[in-house]
Amino acid sequence: MPVIPPERLAPLQSNQNNIRNFTLLAHVDHGKTTLADSLLATNGIISSKLAGTVRYLDFREDEITRGITMKSSAISLFFKVISQSSEKAVENDYLINLIDSPGHVDFSSEVSSASRLCDGAFILIDAVEGVCSQTITVLRQAWVDKIKMVLVINKMDRLVTELKLSPIEAHHHLLRLVEQVNAVIGTFYRGELMNLDEMEEETSDEGIYFSPEQGNVIFASASDGWAFFLDQFSDFYEKKLGMKSSVLTKCLWGDYYLDPKTKRILQAKHLQGRRLKPLFVQFVLDNIWAVYNSAIVDRDLEKIEKIVKTLNIKVLPRDMKSKDPRNLLLAVFQQWLPLSTAILLTAIRKIPCPIDAQKDRALKVLKTTPHFENVAPEIATAMSHCKADKEEPMLAYISKMVAFSERDLPQQKRRQLTAEQMHELRQAKLAGSLEDSVGSLSVNENELEENPENKDHEEEEEKDVFVGFARIYSGTISVGQQVYVYGPKYDPANPDEHVTKVTIESLYLMMGQELFPLDTVPAGNVFAIGGLAGTVLRTATLCSLPKGPNLVGVSQQMEPIVRVAVEPSRPYEMSKLVAGLDMLNQSDPCVQISAEQNGEHVIMCAGEIHLERCLKDLRERFAKIEIQASQPIVPFRETTIAAPDISVNDKEAPLGFVNTSVASDGIQIKLSVSPLPSNLVNFLLDHEKTIESFMHHISKKGRNGDLERSDAQKQKEEILSSEDFITTIHELLSNDTSIKNNITDYLDSIMSFGPKRVGPNMLIDKTGSMKKVRQESDGSRLIPFDLGEYIATAFQISTQQGPLCAEPVQGICVCIESIEIENGQENEVLTIGNPQIPGQVISAVREAIKQGFLAWSPRLLLAMYSCDVQATAEVLGRVYGVVAKRKGRIVDEEMKEGTPFFVVKAVIPVVESFGFAVEILKRTSGAAYPQLIFHGFEMLDENPFWVPTTEEELEDLGELADRENIAKRYMLNVRRRKGLLVEQKVVEKAEKQRTLKH
């Protein structure tokens, strides 16, 4: 295939009807990049024989080493379709904008960035492994973005070579597989119907399911280079069977049979006991199985020659006699059922062009943007109709910023000479006019060698520049054009805030790791834009007019859970580290960078592989210095429960009751700490927005600055009214009989929630005295109202930094039982002007809450991963062993019907998960690979302060408690990392001190 130069692709951008923008989505290792290789081979970018082994779009070193995609990358392809009309053949040139996305759960944000720019998606599923955890994630992402989906059942060759299924068995297996995918789509549809408002109309489920007869299912083997959809076989058998192609397509899938005598199609109920093969088996699978059996299983070259002759294709003798059976398979299949033809023809038929796609999606997308009613009408109209005229408003969306080396930019590269220019240069050299010719055709190399500035320039370190990964929805964007850049916080209701006006410096056509310069880009295209590094951090909206919509809405599928603190090996390079962290933060949509109060720079990542990639990029690309990284920091939570191991010190005072005094016993504060029921804690965790609204309602002032939640949480959460909120809390408390402290009668006296005023802990004023506002008669003496703010501050600090290891607390209720202030006018200490009172009250209340917390049975909550592993029976025991070693537990195990695989679902602590995937791969010899998804926090039911006390415990464990206290180990490790006091014997059972003489 001849190479298609980028110059040939640029003119195709103006024909919007012949543009297709789609992405490849799948679970990890289901064949996305391998399939992309076959599509690239159609444009001569790589050899068709190397397709599937080059992995052209995985150009990062760590992607090549691990064999997984970590960054979504785009490339534009040319595809010509020749259709036969009544008079003559009609040629149509299509521009295919392909985006390859990662499948690993750590890089889910890359999937969000890719799908938002496209009009369609090819969902790849392994024919053997079936629907996996990340398959459901990408299906949900495509459903949310309202893009057209096409199902690709990949790795069909594994049904023959690994499972050794017969064609009939494979047919039943494929039927179940399609049903499983449709079941997932059905759950999305039903969930959407349940969330509809009363005023919204129900949408039909027509066309949302996958069905091969509708042409939205492709059967493929990307590694062997073949794929097909039913229309290809129905066209092939149309004349032989004497049936219309459209009728045959509907009958090729499902339980339809061909009567060999009457040549009529029968359903299963009309077979009358005859054992006939389904049409899909007889006309499709039998033929494919025959090629595999002849080429690999039985190696029958005579049969292969008959098949080649029947298919009317040509296979070279060297391929026929090749010792590698894959060469023979490629030679047959790439001529008979070429993968690129099936994929690209389906894309043209089923993926809508930008005009049709935006007609259906634009209004739905705009309605989800903030204050849509304030958007200029001409912008909404131009976006809905994908108008590409220069007079129309320009609207584009940047989904992420991509880092490129400065030397990879087209401006820095030498212009490649054409064959004609090279011929002219050779003739000029022979004619003796070399200098003039070189000066006119290329860069003067002698001048480069003699110019010392160029030498210095080459010796400089390579710089990285950021390019925006974008989609234009209306109008035309041009180099030199002035546009408005809307930041993520932009709101059309306040059009003057978070807006910057910039001039477009450069536009590019993305070709994998290469960029091709463009002057203009019309609506409907995916492109790259340069020169916005100082203006755009991660995502932004570009518009030629003010009062445009804010299209930034890509949500993270996985919140950062793993943290490390980084510092330079040489302290004087701290400025380079800070600059490198800023560049890393800009290039990765999922990473979060923060500077702690103690001066540490912390990187927060989605998982272990994501963390490794970030550290590698920081060392080698952005900071370019030696970096020291701490051990991974995993968050914990602290709570307390009513457990049998509680020891009561004061039998008169209730459990958790604490009396504290301030200012030489001038102020007496009595409070109680009690645990909240788990169902109430979960309710508070799920309704942070409601808590914020409730606190705003009771305090008449908002506290927006204290919230840290993603946009996705804000959209999913149902905001309750204050009355419903209190009623629900009352019901949850009333249903729990374990609560000793009756707080249901005081819910109207809630002072605050914590930590950060929206957490799952409550502060209640049972006295009611802190609501009484100061009167003139009070003078300057202290009253309980003056202490309310100090007590609330102490509560916030105590719940943010718990007593065990200074981690956030959840599930406690602090009740102020009484406040007594000495009523003495002559006491100058107890006045509102005393600056010592706030600090003393805060310190005393913090200590009291700590004592009340520890009076119960404290517990640690561990961050947990849910783990999905597919493994065969031979390695199942090893998987169980690794999970048990990592303090995990098996939740579920089931066998996938029709396959030898077991699906094991487990949960393991995040703190024990580092190196888990590598150990699974080693122990199973690569036969199992886990997918880890953050599952939430789970209580470790072990008191970190437990020691044996009863006779049975002392007899079994001894006074030193030889059994390891895991909760204590976790607690002490966190305290050491934070520099807190650790009460632990350093030397045990020492016999003698040795003094060495020097």
Side-chain angles (χ1 to χ4, degrees):
M1 181 72 188
V3 179
I4 306 297
E7 291 85 355
R8 191 173 177 184
L9 300 176
L12 298 178
Q13 291 186 330
S14 57
N15 187 0
Q16 297 167 301
N17 289 314
N18 286 5
I19 296 175
R20 297 296 184 271
N21 303 312
F22 65 86
T23 181
L24 304 178
L25 305 177
H27 185 79
V28 64
D29 201 27
H30 278 200
K32 298 180 300 300
T33 307
T34 305
L35 185 143
D37 273 0
S38 297
L39 302 183
L40 301 183
T42 62
N43 279 225
I45 298 174
I46 60 175
S47 168
S48 58
K49 291 188 177 182
L50 295 177
T53 58
V54 175
R55 299 177 62 90
Y56 182 82
L57 293 179
D58 285 351
F59 45 81
R60 291 174 54 95
E61 182 181 347
D62 44 4
E63 288 180 326
I64 298 171
T65 303
R66 288 186 175 272
I68 61 173
T69 304
M70 297 183 182
K71 285 277 191 181
S72 55
S73 52
I75 194 166
S76 296
L77 304 174
F78 170 82
F79 187 60
K80 183 188 290 290
V81 176
I82 302 175
S83 55
Q84 190 70 32
S85 65
S86 57
E87 299 178 356
K88 59 179 181 178
V90 179
E91 296 184 358
N92 285 312
D93 295 341
Y94 287 87
L95 175 64
I96 307 295
N97 293 318
L98 167 67
I99 302 178
D100 182 24
S101 63
H104 197 280
V105 66
D106 283 7
F107 311 107
S108 297
S109 57
E110 295 283 342
V111 176
S112 305
S113 302
S115 65
R116 188 69 182 271
L117 301 181
C118 295
D119 302 319
F122 282 82
I123 311 294
L124 276 71
I125 294 181
D126 191 313
V128 174
E129 296 182 5
V131 178
C132 299
S133 58
Q134 198 64 7
T135 308
I136 299 175
T137 302
V138 298
L139 282 169
R140 183 183 292 108
Q141 184 65 49
W143 177 269
V144 170
D145 288 333
K146 306 296 181 185
I147 59 178
K148 190 72 174 179
M149 290 181 279
V150 176
L151 179 65
V152 180
I153 301 178
N154 193 26
K155 300 191 179 184
M156 289 275 292
D157 55 291
R158 295 184 65 188
L159 301 178
V160 190
T161 57
E162 290 186 24
L163 301 188
K164 302 188 184 303
L165 299 181
S166 66
I168 294 181
E169 292 172 337
H171 179 225
H172 293 308
H173 178 80
L174 294 173
L175 284 171
R176 287 193 299 268
L177 187 55
V178 175
E179 288 176 0
Q180 291 173 5
V181 182
N182 284 333
V184 175
I185 297 295
T187 60
F188 298 157
Y189 176 71
R190 290 190 295 272
E192 191 175 80
L193 290 182
M194 293 176 64
N195 294 329
L196 284 178
D197 295 334
E198 296 180 358
M199 301 298 293
E200 296 180 344
E201 296 182 2
E202 291 187 6
T203 56
S204 172
D205 63 348
E206 183 179 358
I208 67 171
Y209 297 108
F210 297 110
S211 179
E213 61 266 26
Q214 294 180 6
N216 58 1
V217 177
I218 296 175
F219 304 90
S221 172
S223 60
D224 291 340
W226 61 268
F228 68 88
F229 51 91
L230 294 188
D231 284 350
Q232 291 175 279
F233 280 91
S234 60
D235 293 341
F236 181 77
Y237 287 107
E238 181 180 11
K239 294 182 180 178
K240 291 187 177 182
L241 298 178
M243 300 180 186
K244 290 184 179 180
S245 176
S246 57
V247 175
L248 193 54
T249 300
K250 294 180 180 179
C251 300
L252 270 178
W253 181 255
D255 292 331
Y256 293 96
Y257 305 83
L258 180 67
D259 190 332
K261 296 181 179 179
T262 62
K263 301 296 181 182
R264 295 179 60 185
I265 294 177
L266 306 175
Q267 292 183 344
K269 59 184 178 181
H270 299 134
L271 288 180
Q272 298 177 350
R274 289 180 293 178
R275 303 182 65 179
L276 300 178
K277 294 181 179 180
L279 289 177
F280 187 73
V281 174
Q282 184 177 356
F283 294 126
V284 180
L285 295 185
D286 276 351
N287 296 324
I288 295 174
W289 258 241
V291 175
Y292 274 100
N293 289 332
S294 303
I296 295 180
V297 181
D298 297 329
R299 193 65 176 175
D300 189 346
L301 294 182
E302 293 183 1
K303 192 171 182 180
I304 281 288
E305 289 177 356
K306 293 180 180 178
I307 293 173
V308 168
K309 187 176 181 181
T310 305
L311 296 175
N312 195 21
I313 59 177
K314 295 182 180 179
V315 177
L316 296 176
R318 66 182 182 189
D319 293 329
M320 190 72 73
K321 298 177 182 179
S322 175
K323 293 182 179 179
D324 186 0
R326 186 172 182 273
N327 293 334
L328 180 57
L329 286 175
L330 287 175
V332 174
F333 280 124
Q334 286 183 351
Q335 296 180 68
W336 177 31
L337 300 171
L339 183 143
S340 57
T341 302
I343 296 294
L344 296 179
L345 279 178
T346 303
I348 291 170
R349 293 180 180 182
K350 295 300 176 182
I351 304 286
C353 66
I355 296 176
D356 296 335
Q358 290 183 203
K359 190 181 300 181
D360 297 333
R361 291 178 60 207
L363 194 57
K364 297 177 183 177
V365 171
L366 287 175
K367 284 183 177 180
T368 62
T369 61
H371 292 96
F372 162 66
E373 63 277 1
N374 294 329
V375 175
E378 59 270 22
I379 297 178
T381 303
M383 181 180 178
S384 299
H385 296 86
C386 194
K387 296 182 179 179
D389 298 335
K390 292 186 177 181
E391 295 78 16
E392 297 293 337
M394 191 283 298
L395 181 65
Y397 167 67
I398 298 176
S399 69
K400 67 171 185 173
M401 300 296 286
V402 184
F404 279 86
S405 176
E406 192 174 27
R407 64 188 175 123
D408 291 336
L409 296 180
Q411 299 90 325
Q412 304 296 328
K413 289 187 176 182
R414 289 186 181 182
R415 185 164 56 90
Q416 188 174 1
L417 301 180
T418 63
E420 293 79 7
Q421 289 175 326
M422 294 176 66
H423 178 71
E424 292 179 12
L425 183 62
R426 183 171 179 273
Q427 294 298 325
K429 183 177 181 180
L430 294 175
S433 57
L434 176 61
E435 294 182 3
D436 295 338
S437 301
V438 172
S440 61
L441 294 174
S442 64
V443 178
N444 192 329
E445 297 181 2
N446 295 327
E447 186 178 336
L448 280 172
E449 293 177 0
E450 295 173 0
N451 192 345
E453 295 181 1
N454 290 321
K455 289 185 179 180
D456 295 339
H457 180 71
E458 290 177 0
E459 293 175 358
E460 289 181 2
E461 292 185 350
E462 296 178 7
K463 295 182 180 179
D464 283 310
V465 295
F466 285 94
V467 174
F469 193 21
R471 161 77 181 265
I472 180 168
Y473 290 100
S474 66
T476 299
I477 189 170
S478 306
V479 176
Q481 180 181 359
Q482 286 193 336
V483 298
Y484 294 95
V485 178
Y486 303 149
K489 295 182 180 180
Y490 167 80
D491 192 337
N494 301 309
D496 297 330
E497 298 179 3
H498 306 291
V499 178
T500 309
K501 198 169 186 179
V502 299
T503 302
I504 302 300
E505 296 182 6
S506 53
L507 300 171
Y508 304 105
L509 180 70
M510 299 191 74
M511 299 294 292
Q513 58 183 329
E514 296 182 356
L515 299 173
F516 177 75
L518 298 172
D519 295 327
T520 60
V521 179
N525 285 282
V526 176
F527 67 103
I529 180 171
L532 298 178
T535 307
V536 178
L537 178 60
R538 290 178 176 174
T539 62
T541 305
L542 305 182
C543 190
S544 59
L545 298 177
K547 281 200 169 184
N550 183 3
L551 299 178
V552 177
V554 176
S555 60
Q556 294 177 170
Q557 294 293 328
M558 188 167 183
E559 294 292 331
I561 190 65
V562 179
R563 303 177 294 167
V564 293
V566 294
E567 62 181 10
S569 299
R570 295 178 284 272
Y572 61 83
E573 293 180 329
M574 178 60 76
S575 59
K576 292 184 178 180
L577 174 63
V578 174
L581 288 172
D582 290 339
M583 297 178 72
L584 175 65
N585 188 35
Q586 188 170 13
S587 67
D588 195 320
C590 191
V591 75
Q592 291 183 9
I593 309 295
S594 67
E596 300 295 319
Q597 293 179 353
N598 59 3
E600 286 184 335
H601 293 276
V602 176
I603 302 176
M604 289 169 276
C605 304
E608 186 179 2
I609 296 179
H610 186 211
L611 173 62
E612 291 180 12
R613 192 196 73 183
C614 290
L615 293 177
K616 181 180 177 65
D617 284 347
L618 195 59
R619 290 189 177 102
E620 300 179 3
R621 293 195 63 183
F622 300 136
K624 296 179 181 176
I625 59 174
E626 288 296 323
I627 292 173
Q628 293 179 349
S630 69
Q631 291 295 318
I633 304 169
V634 177
F636 290 84
R637 295 290 184 268
E638 301 179 19
T639 190
T640 189
I641 61 173
D645 60 352
I646 298 174
S647 59
V648 181
N649 297 326
D650 188 356
K651 296 183 179 180
E652 297 180 359
L655 199 62
F657 189 89
V658 182
N659 186 5
T660 184
S661 61
V662 180
S664 302
D665 296 337
I667 303 174
Q668 296 284 340
I669 302 175
K670 297 180 180 180
L671 58 83
S672 62
V673 179
S674 58
L676 294 175
S678 58
N679 52 357
L680 176 57
V681 174
N682 294 331
F683 172 77
L684 295 177
L685 287 171
D686 294 337
H687 290 80
E688 291 184 353
K689 190 70 175 175
T690 301
I691 296 175
E692 180 195 15
S693 175
F694 174 77
M695 295 304 299
H696 177 84
H697 175 72
I698 64 174
S699 63
K700 304 300 181 184
K701 59 181 180 179
R703 306 182 185 273
N704 298 333
D706 296 319
L707 298 179
E708 293 182 1
R709 295 183 310 281
S710 65
D711 292 335
Q713 287 176 313
K714 293 179 183 179
Q715 293 172 4
K716 293 177 184 177
E717 182 184 326
E718 180 187 359
I719 301 177
L720 303 177
S721 64
S722 298
E723 294 77 12
D724 294 340
F725 180 59
I726 292 296
T727 301
T728 306
I729 293 179
H730 188 278
E731 292 176 355
L732 293 173
L733 288 171
S734 301
N735 295 335
D736 193 278
T737 58
S738 63
I739 296 185
K740 305 292 191 296
N741 194 351
N742 184 19
I743 60 177
T744 55
D745 299 334
Y746 299 96
L747 293 180
D748 57 342
S749 300
I750 294 177
M751 290 179 60
S752 181
F753 291 86
K756 298 182 180 179
R757 298 185 175 87
V758 290
N761 306 288
M762 296 195 301
L763 175 63
I764 295 178
D765 175 24
K766 285 188 175 182
T767 66
S769 59
M770 283 184 280
K771 290 183 179 180
K772 298 177 181 179
V773 184
R774 171 177 291 279
Q775 304 294 330
E776 293 183 4
S777 58
D778 296 329
S780 62
R781 68 183 181 87
L782 279 176
I783 62 172
F785 174 79
D786 301 325
L787 305 181
E789 185 177 352
Y790 310 144
I791 294 174
T793 302
F795 170 75
Q796 296 296 334
I797 298 173
S798 299
T799 53
Q800 179 64 32
Q801 299 179 355
L804 298 183
C805 50
E807 289 289 312
V809 176
Q810 71 178 42
I812 67 169
C813 177
V814 178
C815 297
I816 308 299
E817 302 290 342
S818 68
I819 300 177
E820 298 178 2
I821 301 176
E822 182 180 326
N823 190 10
Q825 297 292 341
E826 68 282 354
N827 193 339
E828 297 180 356
V829 176
L830 304 179
T831 61
I832 58 175
N834 188 349
Q836 297 180 353
I837 293 296
Q840 292 179 359
V841 171
I842 291 173
S843 299
V845 174
R846 279 190 65 187
E847 183 63 26
I849 294 176
K850 175 184 175 181
Q851 293 178 16
F853 180 95
L854 295 177
W856 300 87
S857 183
R859 294 289 188 271
L860 280 178
L861 294 169
L862 308 184
M864 304 295 289
Y865 275 141
S866 65
C867 171
D868 291 345
V869 185
Q870 285 197 6
T872 57
E874 291 79 9
V875 299
L876 197 59
R878 299 175 187 175
V879 172
Y880 274 55
V882 176
V883 171
K885 178 183 175 183
R886 298 285 179 153
K887 308 293 188 299
R889 72 175 191 277
I890 304 298
V891 177
D892 187 25
E893 174 199 317
E894 61 180 353
M895 187 173 187
K896 279 202 168 183
E897 189 176 355
T899 70
F901 289 99
F902 287 86
V903 180
V904 178
K905 295 184 179 181
V907 289
I908 63 171
V910 176
V911 70
E912 300 283 354
S913 68
F914 300 101
F916 175 72
V918 175
E919 187 174 2
I920 284 276
L921 286 171
K922 287 181 179 178
R923 293 289 301 275
T924 62
S925 301
Y929 186 83
Q931 279 280 87
L932 301 176
I933 303 174
F934 181 59
H935 182 64
F937 288 90
E938 200 171 281
M939 187 176 68
L940 176 62
D941 195 11
E942 188 172 10
N943 189 338
F945 301 111
W946 179 86
V947 291
T949 53
T950 64
E951 292 184 4
E952 293 81 2
E953 291 172 347
L954 288 171
E955 184 178 348
D956 292 341
L957 303 172
E959 293 182 0
L960 298 176
D962 296 334
R963 186 187 70 185
E964 182 186 20
N965 190 326
I966 299 174
K968 185 176 182 180
R969 172 160 62 87
Y970 290 154
M971 181 186 72
L972 294 180
N973 288 340
V974 176
R975 293 185 69 89
R976 286 193 194 95
R977 174 173 58 80
K978 293 185 175 182
L980 302 175
L981 177 64
V982 176
E983 296 180 359
Q984 188 178 22
K985 291 182 180 180
V986 179
V987 179
E988 294 182 359
K989 300 180 182 179
E991 295 179 358
K992 182 179 179 182
Q993 179 179 356
R994 251 180 104 191
T995 304
L996 299 177
K997 295 182 179 180
H998 296 285

